[in-house]
Structures are given as C-alpha cells and as structure tokens.
Amino acid sequence: MLDVKDLKKDYADEGEVTSALRGVSFTINKGDFVSIIGPSGSGKSTLLQILSFLDRPTGGSYTFLGKSIDDMSDAELAHVRNKDMGFVFQAFNLLSRLTVYENIEIPLIYSTVPPAARKKMIEQAVESVGIGEKLYVEAGKLSGGQKQRVAIARALVNDPNVIFADEPTGNLDSKSGAQVMDILDGLNRRGHTVILVTHETYTAEFADRIIAIRDGMIESDAPVKTRRSSKDQFFK
C-alpha cells in the first residue's frame, strides 16, 4: 500500500539547510497496524505529513497504492487524501458548535457521495465507535474521550484505505486513551490499515510493528512480540 525509499526532507532557512529526514525506507501493506515512534524533533511528524500528502519530500520516492507522489498534482493529492485517507489528531480538530453528525459529515461534503446516502454512512461510523446516542449533540459538550471517538468516526466515514492517528491519546486520561486504542485495534482487526504516530512506547505496542525514528533516520523496524491490549495492567 505504501512504499517509501530513501525518503529525504530538507528545510532551508536563510541559506541554512536542516535535514528532517535523512533517507528513510520501509513498506506498509494493506491491513497492517504500524506505529511510528520517536522523540520530539526525530522527524516522525515530518514523515507523517509526507505520508498523508500534506507535504512533499525533497528526495527519494513515495508510492501510494501503486502511484508515485511525483506523478500527482496538488489537486490529485487532495482528492486521494479525502478519498483514501482518514485522520485522527491529538487535538480532535472538531468544530465545537457543530453536532457530532455535522462534524462527521465534513469529509462527505467534498466527496461524490449523494446527500441521501450520507446519513446511513454517518450512522454506521458513529455506531462503530460506540456513541450513537450522541449523534445530535454539539461536539463542544462532549468529554475528551467522546470527542476522540467522533474524530475516529469522521476518519472512518469515507471507508478509507488507511487511517493515520497522530498522538490520538495525547489529550486523554488513561481510561479514555485505552478505550480509543481499543477502537483502533478493533478497526485494524476488521481489516483497516492503521498508521499510529506516537512518542509513547506502551501506545505503540498496540501495533504489530514499530518503526523507531531518531534524527531523521530509522533506528529500528521490528515486529511487536506481544501486541498490547487495554486490558493489560498498565491501563488499570
């Protein structure tokens, strides 16, 4: 699904070049659950931006679903991002005065889905994260854990090929964070590809594989020996 080879990203500021990525290579297949982990400044956020078509690399290659990012215009990238990618952010990125329904509907507004079909898709997405009773509640009135569930439902509504989760438990308490990770774990077990970006080892271990980034390079890329569950002692 995703194939990255010798990926580089440089930033120039007043003649000084800073290398955020220094030749990163890996492949992610359909149905994988992969964590990208690293400390602040390691390059993991830059990598996420490139993988999700929010930025372009300055070197190397990135192929998504068999097509190189170099062969796509900005408009094509935006179309693929809306159709094939779902996003879950640490800050939820919900519009507080809109209802849960209206927040989840946002990706569909820019799609070819006819309005008549949207309601069923939204209801299915919200039921999949267990907050169907909140469908017409304003997002600003929800708890942090409920907001993140709405964000996951919004990421799911287009049935994307891959879900990017950027520090999804960062603003949550342990119990809510465990519930969110359980949802992502369940989505992956039902066939969704999940790419999780985090700085927390225990969260990363919900995945089948961890790619560790440091100083813009891959420090390690290895399977998780025992995939974590929210039932593990750490979360109690």
Side-chain angles (χ1 to χ4, degrees):
M1 179 176 284
L2 289 84
D3 187 30
V4 169
K5 293 181 180 177
D6 198 29
L7 202 69
K8 298 181 177 68
K9 181 64 180 181
D10 296 331
Y11 295 99
D13 183 19
E14 296 182 354
E16 184 175 342
V17 177
T18 301
S19 296
L21 295 175
R22 305 167 182 260
V24 171
S25 301
F26 58 83
T27 297
I28 295 176
N29 297 314
K30 184 174 177 59
D32 284 353
F33 190 158
V34 178
S35 289
I36 298 174
I37 191 169
S40 178
S42 61
K44 66 182 187 297
S45 295
T46 299
L47 178 59
L48 175 65
Q49 289 181 325
I50 293 173
L51 294 181
S52 59
F53 292 176
L54 295 173
D55 200 359
R56 291 180 182 266
T58 51
S61 65
Y62 171 31
T63 301
F64 180 77
L65 292 176
K67 191 168 184 180
S68 171
I69 189 173
D70 293 333
D71 296 332
M72 289 186 270
S73 67
D74 289 345
E76 287 174 314
L77 292 179
H79 174 74
V80 173
R81 186 166 58 243
N82 187 63
K83 175 178 174 288
D84 290 312
M85 299 177 178
F87 300 90
V88 183
F89 303 98
Q90 178 178 348
F92 317 131
N93 289 8
L94 303 178
L95 297 176
S96 60
R97 294 195 176 184
L98 295 186
T99 64
V100 168
Y101 184 101
E102 291 167 330
N103 270 282
I104 297 172
E105 186 182 26
I106 290 173
L108 299 176
I109 293 172
Y110 303 102
S111 72
T112 58
V113 177
R118 292 178 187 172
K119 186 172 187 293
K120 184 176 181 180
M121 294 173 69
I122 293 168
E123 289 174 346
Q124 288 176 336
V126 82
E127 288 295 337
S128 72
V129 298
I131 53 168
E133 76 282 0
K134 301 292 185 181
L135 194 57
Y136 297 105
V137 175
E138 288 185 2
K141 297 179 180 179
L142 302 177
S143 68
Q146 289 169 340
K147 288 178 180 176
Q148 196 59 294
R149 288 174 183 242
V150 175
I152 294 172
R154 182 184 56 193
L156 283 175
V157 73
N158 265 340
D159 193 25
N161 274 295
V162 59
I163 298 170
F164 292 101
D166 186 10
E167 302 281 5
T169 64
N171 284 338
L172 304 177
D173 58 40
S174 295
K175 181 179 179 181
S176 297
Q179 290 171 344
V180 164
M181 291 309 303
D182 257 354
I183 292 170
L184 292 175
D185 176 67
L187 292 172
N188 172 250
R189 293 184 189 278
R190 292 197 294 273
H192 288 274
T193 305
V194 179
I195 299 176
L196 170 71
V197 174
T198 183
H199 67 279
E200 301 169 331
T201 301
Y202 58 87
T203 303
E205 289 175 350
F206 273 79
D208 293 311
R209 170 183 166 204
I210 297 177
I211 299 174
I213 303 286
R214 184 176 294 275
D215 297 329
M217 297 180 289
I218 292 180
E219 187 175 52
S220 62
D221 183 349
V224 175
K225 292 182 180 179
T226 303
R227 185 163 165 173
R228 188 179 290 277
S229 163
S230 67
K231 298 178 179 63
D232 292 343
Q233 185 63 36
F234 181 90
F235 289 101
K236 294 180 180 178

